[in-house]
Every structure is written in C-alpha cells, then in structure tokens.
Amino acid sequence: MIYKEVIERIYDSMLNQTGEGKVASYIPALSSIDPKSYAISVCDLEGGEFSIGDSDVRFTIQSISKVFVLAMVSRYLGDKLWERVGREPSGTAFNSLIQLEQERGIPRNPFINSGALVVTDMLIDLYPNPKQAILDFVREICGNRDICYNEEVAKSELEHSHRNLALANFMKSFGNIKNDIDTIIDIYCNQCSISMSTKELAKSFLFLANTGVNPINGQKVVGPRSSKRMNALMLTCGLYNESGDFAYRVGLPGKSGVGGGIAAIIPGRLAIAVWSPELNNNGNSYRGIATLEQFTTDIGISVF
Ligand code: GLN
C-alpha cells in the first residue's frame, strides 16, 4: 500500500498528542472510553489496505451513521427527500434547535441531528424492519456480517435523549415528523450505537469514493448522482459548525461522530477512517482532524 509510510509517520508523530479535548460524556456510556485510543485505516479502490493502532477495536460510529441512513433513504426517495430537509451548512452545533423555529421545522441538512431525525422518520416508511435493515445495509457495505448495535450505548443515549426528543417534537409541531417520536428516537439511538473499527469503517465508505459502487463486491449502493451529492454534503456539512474549517484544512468530504471517529474519502482513490475519542468544542475529534490534515498535506492530494 503506497500510503503505508506516510501513515506510519503521522501515527508516530501524533501518538502522544492527547489531553487537548474531552471524550463525550453527555451520553454517559461513552465516558468510559480510553481517551488515548488511536487508529487509522486506509483502503483504496485497488484492494490495498493499511491500518495502524487500535484499528480492530470497535467504537460507536454515532453521527457517521447519518451517511448510511441517508444512502438507504435516497435509494428510494430521490429528490422528494429534499422537500423535508435542506442541503445548506447550518453553522450551528449538531444538536442545535435554534434555526428550526425560523425555518419552520425544516432542518438545514441531513447531517445534523434534526435532519437525521427526519431521515430516520422517512426510513421507517420505507423499510418494514428499520433496525434490521440498517444493520443489513452496513454489514453488506463493509463485508462483515457481525456488525452490531452497542446496546449499552444505545440504552444510555435513549435515557439521555431529551434534546433529540425536543428536536423531534418541535419538528412534529410543524408537520415534518410523521411517525411516533419514541419509535424514531429508538431507531436513531440504535443507529448511532453501531459499533465498527476503523478497518470496517474505511471499507464501508469505499462506495462513496467509487461513484456509488462497492468495489469489494461490485454492487451498486447508490447511483452516481446520489454519490456525488452525498460527498458534496459531507464536504459542506459533515463536521457541523466546523465543516468550513475541515474543508480548509483537510480538503475532503468527511463525516464525524461524537464517538471520536471520522471517515473521509478521496474520489476515485480511497477511503480513510480515523479514531481518536477526545473531542474539541464542536464535538469533533481534534486529533482525527489533525491526522487527516497531515495525510492530505503529505500525499499532496485532496479534492482541490
Ligand atoms: N448520538 C449522538 C447524538 O444524537 C450523535 C451526535 C454526533 O455524533 N455528533 O447526540
């Protein structure tokens, strides 16, 4: 794998770069994660793979699941999806309520919590057993049948989901939530609790580097237009109110989660996943961002 040396060098130089942020604790079950965990995995479209660090340790992917659920819904809904959710960066925190009142219950984009709750609401109408369908989808795209929900984390989030409940209730008052709110929150907390390693996460993002086709088995996950759009949304909205800075520093479509993971792609080349659980004030892994910034700088390739 041609990126091996670059990644080894970055890993060694950042291994002790901890202590500048905090592991998420608003979901109590996440607070026990080892803050020093660190992993990088890269897979390319030619079948090359390289991983370093805690790359076999599974962590909850949290908001990264928003990409998968969007892909599942966009398979069926096409442009109808955008009647209920926007595609502009929010410039606000991932769980913010602030724009919803002015914008009459239409979330800015599918990668903040309000937007993802609307997408999960749509998923319920499209798949008879949504929780199983989400697992089947993720298992298929990463080629690993034993991907599971982390029930402890899902339960912990469910018990502390007052803000997500508020978002869903508020949107329901505008008519933008159709299904039972407790059902939506239950599915949402479960999708966030999907546990994957960076090795699995990098594989699962390869279809987005390959115009929607999974290079591992040749199957079409989404069409080329959807793939292009999902990458554009990741670039503009994938790191919440830090998306502009991420584009500036890293120059790739990417998606983060409060579990400390970030997955990103270089179109036509590769997918990369990083895990480092200490978060900055925006809820993003600061070492994860620094790692990706160094990676695109060192290899001299980004989307720009
Ligand atoms: N489960 C988390 C939440 O809803 C996901 C947020 C995130 O990863 N940014 O708060």
Side-chain angles (χ1 to χ4, degrees), residues 84 94-98 100 104-107 112-122 124 158 161-189:
R84 291 175 56 193
F94 63 85
N95 55 6
S96 173
L97 285 137
I98 214 143
L100 278 179
R104 307 206 52 77
I106 306 290
I112 49 176
N113 287 14
S114 50
L117 289 166
V118 170
V119 177
T120 298
D121 187 28
M122 294 172 182
I124 295 172
L158 210 54
S161 53
H162 315 295
R163 196 167 255 273
N164 286 326
L165 278 164
L167 288 166
N169 275 295
F170 199 44
M171 291 188 289
K172 194 155 183 114
S173 76
F174 288 102
N176 198 20
I177 287 285
K178 315 284 181 205
N179 289 288
D180 171 60
I181 285 176
D182 290 336
T183 307
I184 297 169
I185 299 288
D186 177 53
I187 296 169
Y188 174 82
C189 290

Side-chain angles (χ1 to χ4, degrees), residues 9-199:
R9 202 169 54 233
I10 296 171
Y11 180 85
D12 289 343
S13 73
M14 296 199 186
L15 186 58
N16 296 318
Q17 206 177 303
T18 55
E20 289 164 42
K22 285 202 177 81
V23 168
S25 57
Y26 75 100
I27 302 172
L30 291 183
S31 59
S32 55
I33 295 170
D34 179 1
K36 294 194 164 36
S37 310
Y38 187 32
I40 311 171
S41 294
V42 179
C43 313
D44 67 25
L45 295 184
E46 282 74 50
E49 286 178 33
F50 180 71
S51 288
I52 195 162
D54 304 311
S55 59
D56 285 313
V57 180
R58 287 182 171 164
F59 56 93
T60 61
I61 64 169
Q62 298 295 334
S63 270
I64 301 172
S65 65
K66 292 173 172 134
V67 176
F68 300 145
V69 177
L70 180 67
M72 291 175 71
V73 167
S74 65
R75 274 175 168 180
Y76 289 96
L77 288 191
D79 281 348
K80 271 194 87 56
L81 205 153
W82 306 114
E83 290 168 12
R84 291 175 56 193
V85 60
R87 37 183 203 254
E88 289 293 343
S90 68
T92 59
F94 63 85
N95 55 6
S96 173
L97 285 137
I98 214 143
Q99 284 158 342
L100 278 179
E101 168 113 63
Q102 250 178 352
E103 299 178 5
R104 307 206 52 77
I106 306 290
R108 276 283 174 103
N109 68 69
F111 292 155
I112 49 176
N113 287 14
S114 50
L117 289 166
V118 170
V119 177
T120 298
D121 187 28
M122 294 172 182
L123 184 90
I124 295 172
D125 292 332
L126 297 169
Y127 294 83
N129 184 347
K131 274 199 217 170
Q132 187 58 45
I134 295 169
L135 275 189
D136 289 345
F137 178 87
V138 178
R139 288 172 176 174
E140 177 78 26
I141 57 172
C142 77
N144 194 338
R145 299 299 308 163
D146 71 359
I147 300 287
C148 280
Y149 296 121
N150 179 327
E151 282 167 24
E152 189 204 336
V153 172
K155 184 167 171 281
S156 177
E157 179 164 9
L158 210 54
E159 287 166 359
H160 294 84
S161 53
H162 315 295
R163 196 167 255 273
N164 286 326
L165 278 164
L167 288 166
N169 275 295
F170 199 44
M171 291 188 289
K172 194 155 183 114
S173 76
F174 288 102
N176 198 20
I177 287 285
K178 315 284 181 205
N179 289 288
D180 171 60
I181 285 176
D182 290 336
T183 307
I184 297 169
I185 299 288
D186 177 53
I187 296 169
Y188 174 82
C189 290
N190 273 278
Q191 78 189 45
C192 289
S193 84
I194 293 172
S195 288
M196 297 172 85
S197 64
T198 53
K199 273 185 192 166

Side-chain angles (χ1 to χ4, degrees), residues 199-275:
K199 273 185 192 166
E200 292 159 342
L201 201 52
K203 274 207 185 115
S204 71
F205 267 66
L206 268 180
F207 74 96
L208 289 165
N210 194 37
T211 56
V213 175
N214 182 348
I216 301 168
N217 57 15
Q219 273 176 11
K220 182 174 120 180
V221 181
V222 292
R225 196 165 73 142
S226 269
S227 174
K228 179 187 79 175
R229 290 171 157 187
M230 287 178 62
N231 285 330
L233 285 168
M234 286 202 292
L235 184 79
T236 52
C237 313
L239 277 87
Y240 329 111
N241 43 339
E242 201 173 354
S243 301
D245 199 54
F246 185 79
Y248 176 83
R249 291 174 59 190
V250 179
L252 298 180
K255 185 73 203 84
S256 64
V258 291
I262 307 179
I265 62 112
I266 303 185
R269 289 178 193 264
L270 59 83
I272 177 166
V274 184
W275 178 46

